[in-house]
Protein backbone atom coordinates (compact mmCIF):
# COMPACT_ATOMS: atom_id res chain seq x y z
CA UNK A 1 0.00 0.00 0.00
CA UNK A 2 1.58 3.34 -1.02
CA UNK A 3 2.09 6.02 1.57
CA UNK A 4 1.36 9.69 1.15
CA UNK A 5 4.04 11.98 2.49
CA UNK A 6 3.23 15.68 2.31
CA UNK A 7 6.76 16.56 3.31
CA UNK A 8 8.07 15.16 0.02
CA UNK A 9 5.33 16.33 -2.31
CA UNK A 10 1.85 15.45 -3.41
CA UNK A 11 1.36 12.25 -5.35
CA UNK A 12 -0.83 12.07 -8.43
CA UNK A 13 -4.01 10.70 -6.85
CA UNK A 14 -5.25 9.12 -10.08
CA UNK A 15 -2.02 7.12 -10.48
CA UNK A 16 -0.69 6.39 -7.01
CA UNK A 17 0.93 3.16 -8.17
CA UNK A 18 2.51 4.69 -11.28
CA UNK A 19 6.27 4.90 -11.47
CA UNK A 20 7.82 8.36 -11.90
CA UNK A 21 8.32 9.48 -15.47
CA UNK A 22 11.78 9.59 -16.93
CA UNK A 23 12.86 13.08 -17.96
CA UNK A 24 13.06 13.66 -21.69
CA UNK A 25 14.80 16.47 -23.55
CA UNK A 26 11.44 17.96 -24.54
CA UNK A 27 10.11 18.09 -20.99
CA UNK A 28 11.46 20.59 -18.56
CA UNK A 29 10.72 20.75 -14.88
CA UNK A 30 10.38 23.86 -12.77
CA UNK A 31 14.12 24.07 -12.27
CA UNK A 32 14.00 21.27 -9.71
CA UNK A 33 15.20 18.32 -11.79
CA UNK A 34 11.70 16.87 -12.24
CA UNK A 35 10.07 16.40 -15.61
CA UNK A 36 6.80 18.04 -16.56
CA UNK A 37 4.08 15.48 -17.31
CA UNK A 38 2.25 15.81 -20.63
CA UNK A 39 -0.81 18.01 -20.33
CA UNK A 40 0.33 19.71 -17.10
CA UNK A 41 0.12 23.18 -18.59
CA UNK A 42 -3.27 22.45 -20.14
CA UNK A 43 -4.61 21.38 -16.72
CA UNK A 44 -3.14 24.51 -15.12
CA UNK A 45 -4.69 26.70 -17.82
CA UNK A 46 -8.06 25.01 -17.32
CA UNK A 47 -7.75 25.57 -13.56
CA UNK A 48 -7.01 29.27 -14.06
CA UNK A 49 -9.91 29.59 -16.53
CA UNK A 50 -12.28 28.06 -14.00
CA UNK A 51 -10.78 30.10 -11.16
CA UNK A 52 -11.22 33.29 -13.20
CA UNK A 53 -14.82 32.47 -14.00
CA UNK A 54 -15.49 32.05 -10.29
CA UNK A 55 -14.65 35.68 -9.50
CA UNK A 56 -17.79 37.21 -11.09
CA UNK A 57 -19.85 34.45 -9.50
CA UNK A 58 -18.26 35.26 -6.12
CA UNK A 59 -19.29 38.90 -6.56
CA UNK A 60 -22.93 37.93 -7.16
CA UNK A 61 -22.97 35.44 -4.27
CA UNK A 62 -21.23 37.81 -1.84
CA UNK A 63 -23.78 40.53 -2.47
CA UNK A 64 -26.72 38.22 -1.78
CA UNK A 65 -25.62 35.95 1.07
CA UNK A 66 -23.75 36.22 4.36
CA UNK A 67 -20.06 35.62 3.64
CA UNK A 68 -19.56 32.80 6.17
CA UNK A 69 -22.66 30.97 4.91
CA UNK A 70 -21.64 31.39 1.27
CA UNK A 71 -18.14 30.11 2.01
CA UNK A 72 -19.45 27.10 3.95
CA UNK A 73 -21.91 26.25 1.17
CA UNK A 74 -19.17 26.61 -1.45
CA UNK A 75 -16.95 24.15 0.44
CA UNK A 76 -19.80 21.70 1.07
CA UNK A 77 -20.65 21.71 -2.64
CA UNK A 78 -16.99 21.12 -3.51
CA UNK A 79 -16.82 18.22 -1.04
CA UNK A 80 -19.87 16.59 -2.63
CA UNK A 81 -18.38 16.94 -6.11
CA UNK A 82 -15.01 15.50 -5.01
CA UNK A 83 -16.45 12.63 -2.95
CA UNK A 84 -16.86 10.18 -5.89
CA UNK A 85 -13.19 10.72 -6.81
CA UNK A 86 -11.90 10.33 -3.26
CA UNK A 87 -13.93 7.40 -1.92
CA UNK A 88 -12.60 4.68 -4.28
CA UNK A 89 -9.00 5.46 -3.27
CA UNK A 90 -9.58 6.54 0.32
CA UNK A 91 -7.96 3.49 1.90
CA UNK A 92 -5.13 3.28 -0.65
CA UNK A 93 -3.44 6.28 0.94
CA UNK A 94 -2.02 6.21 4.45
CA UNK A 95 -1.51 9.53 6.18
CA UNK A 96 0.61 10.22 9.24
CA UNK A 97 -0.28 12.72 11.96
CA UNK A 98 1.95 15.38 10.37
CA UNK A 99 0.26 14.83 6.99
CA UNK A 100 -3.21 15.25 8.55
CA UNK A 101 -2.02 18.42 10.30
CA UNK A 102 -0.65 19.83 7.04
CA UNK A 103 -3.84 18.97 5.14
CA UNK A 104 -5.89 20.61 7.88
CA UNK A 105 -3.71 23.75 7.77
CA UNK A 106 -3.97 23.82 3.98
CA UNK A 107 -7.74 23.51 4.22
CA UNK A 108 -8.05 26.30 6.76
CA UNK A 109 -5.61 28.75 5.18
CA UNK A 110 -5.62 27.86 1.50
CA UNK A 111 -9.29 27.07 1.12
CA UNK A 112 -11.52 28.40 3.91
CA UNK A 113 -9.78 31.68 4.79
CA UNK A 114 -9.07 32.29 1.11
CA UNK A 115 -12.78 31.82 0.38
CA UNK A 116 -13.83 34.11 3.23
CA UNK A 117 -11.37 36.79 2.17
CA UNK A 118 -12.36 36.62 -1.48
CA UNK A 119 -16.08 36.77 -0.79
CA UNK A 120 -15.74 39.58 1.75
CA UNK A 121 -13.46 41.55 -0.58
CA UNK A 122 -15.83 41.10 -3.51
CA UNK A 123 -18.54 42.79 -1.45
CA UNK A 124 -16.39 45.90 -1.09
CA UNK A 125 -14.93 46.50 -4.58
CA UNK A 126 -16.10 46.24 -8.20
CA UNK A 127 -15.85 42.80 -9.78
CA UNK A 128 -13.25 43.82 -12.36
CA UNK A 129 -10.98 45.21 -9.66
CA UNK A 130 -11.53 42.05 -7.62
CA UNK A 131 -10.36 39.95 -10.54
CA UNK A 132 -7.25 42.13 -10.85
CA UNK A 133 -6.44 41.77 -7.15
CA UNK A 134 -6.86 37.99 -7.27
CA UNK A 135 -4.60 37.91 -10.32
CA UNK A 136 -1.70 38.51 -7.94
CA UNK A 137 -2.02 34.84 -6.93
CA UNK A 138 0.48 33.55 -9.55
CA UNK A 139 2.98 36.23 -8.55
CA UNK A 140 2.71 35.37 -4.86
CA UNK A 141 2.87 31.66 -5.66
CA UNK A 142 6.07 32.09 -7.69
CA UNK A 143 7.69 34.19 -4.97
CA UNK A 144 6.54 31.74 -2.28
CA UNK A 145 7.99 28.82 -4.23
CA UNK A 146 11.35 30.55 -4.40
CA UNK A 147 11.34 31.66 -0.76
CA UNK A 148 9.82 28.64 0.97
CA UNK A 149 10.32 25.66 -1.36
CA UNK A 150 13.83 26.53 -2.51
CA UNK A 151 12.76 26.51 -6.16
CA UNK A 152 15.30 28.04 -8.48
CA UNK A 153 14.58 31.30 -10.20
CA UNK A 154 15.91 32.44 -13.54
CA UNK A 155 16.05 35.74 -15.36
CA UNK A 156 13.03 34.67 -17.44
CA UNK A 157 10.96 33.80 -14.34
CA UNK A 158 11.97 37.04 -12.63
CA UNK A 159 11.01 39.00 -15.75
CA UNK A 160 7.65 37.18 -15.95
CA UNK A 161 6.85 38.01 -12.32
CA UNK A 162 7.88 41.64 -12.85
CA UNK A 163 5.77 41.94 -16.02
CA UNK A 164 2.74 40.41 -14.29
CA UNK A 165 3.13 42.81 -11.36
CA UNK A 166 3.54 45.76 -13.73
CA UNK A 167 0.42 44.73 -15.64
CA UNK A 168 -1.63 44.55 -12.47
CA UNK A 169 -0.30 47.92 -11.33
CA UNK A 170 -1.13 49.56 -14.68
CA UNK A 171 -4.62 48.06 -14.70
CA UNK A 172 -5.26 49.24 -11.14
CA UNK A 173 -3.80 52.72 -11.50
CA UNK A 174 -4.94 53.53 -15.02
CA UNK A 175 -8.06 51.39 -15.22
CA UNK A 176 -10.37 54.12 -13.97
CA UNK A 177 -12.52 51.71 -11.95
CA UNK A 178 -14.94 53.53 -9.66
CA UNK A 179 -14.72 52.01 -6.22
CA UNK A 180 -16.96 52.58 -3.22
CA UNK A 181 -14.50 55.03 -1.67
CA UNK A 182 -14.19 57.43 -4.61
CA UNK A 183 -12.43 57.65 -7.92
CA UNK A 184 -9.72 55.23 -6.83
CA UNK A 185 -10.77 52.28 -4.66
CA UNK A 186 -7.66 52.37 -2.47
CA UNK A 187 -7.12 56.05 -1.69
CA UNK A 188 -10.30 57.74 -2.91
Amino acid sequence: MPTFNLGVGLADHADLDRKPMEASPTQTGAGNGRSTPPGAYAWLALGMLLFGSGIPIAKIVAEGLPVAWASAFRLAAAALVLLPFVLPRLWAVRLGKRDWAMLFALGVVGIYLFSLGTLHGMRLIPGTLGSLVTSTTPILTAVGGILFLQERSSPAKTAAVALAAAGIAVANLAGGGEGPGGAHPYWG
Side-chain angles (χ1 to χ4, degrees):
M1 183 180 293
T3 60
F4 189 69
N5 184 346
L6 293 177
V8 172
L10 296 176
D12 179 353
H13 295 312
D15 295 322
L16 284 173
D17 303 321
R18 178 178 63 110
K19 291 186 172 121
M21 287 179 34
E22 295 295 324
S24 73
T26 59
Q27 295 175 330
T28 59
N32 55 13
R34 297 184 208 146
S35 62
T36 303
Y41 294 111
W43 280 109
L44 288 169
L46 177 63
M48 288 299 98
L49 177 69
L50 294 172
F51 174 80
S53 67
I55 298 301
I57 295 169
K59 175 77 174 165
I60 295 166
V61 169
E63 290 176 348
L65 297 172
V67 172
W69 191 92
S71 186
F73 183 78
R74 175 183 177 199
L75 297 176
L80 288 175
V81 169
L82 289 173
L83 202 56
F85 299 100
V86 173
L87 281 180
R89 303 289 294 194
L90 187 62
W91 306 116
V93 178
R94 289 185 297 175
L95 297 173
K97 289 180 183 179
R98 182 177 184 273
D99 297 329
W100 280 110
M102 289 188 68
L103 281 173
F104 182 79
L106 177 64
V108 170
V109 175
I111 306 298
Y112 185 69
L113 293 178
F114 169 79
S115 177
L116 279 177
T118 299
L119 291 170
H120 184 67
M122 293 305 291
R123 287 182 133 178
L124 303 174
I125 61 175
T128 53
L129 184 57
S131 67
L132 289 171
V133 171
T134 59
S135 65
T136 61
T137 301
I139 296 168
L140 297 173
T141 302
V143 171
I146 293 166
L147 294 177
F148 302 113
L149 301 176
Q150 291 80 39
E151 293 182 359
R152 287 183 274 167
S153 187
S154 68
K157 288 180 187 177
T158 303
V161 168
L163 286 171
I168 293 167
V170 167
N172 277 309
L173 296 174
E178 186 73 26
H184 194 279
Y186 294 125
W187 47 77

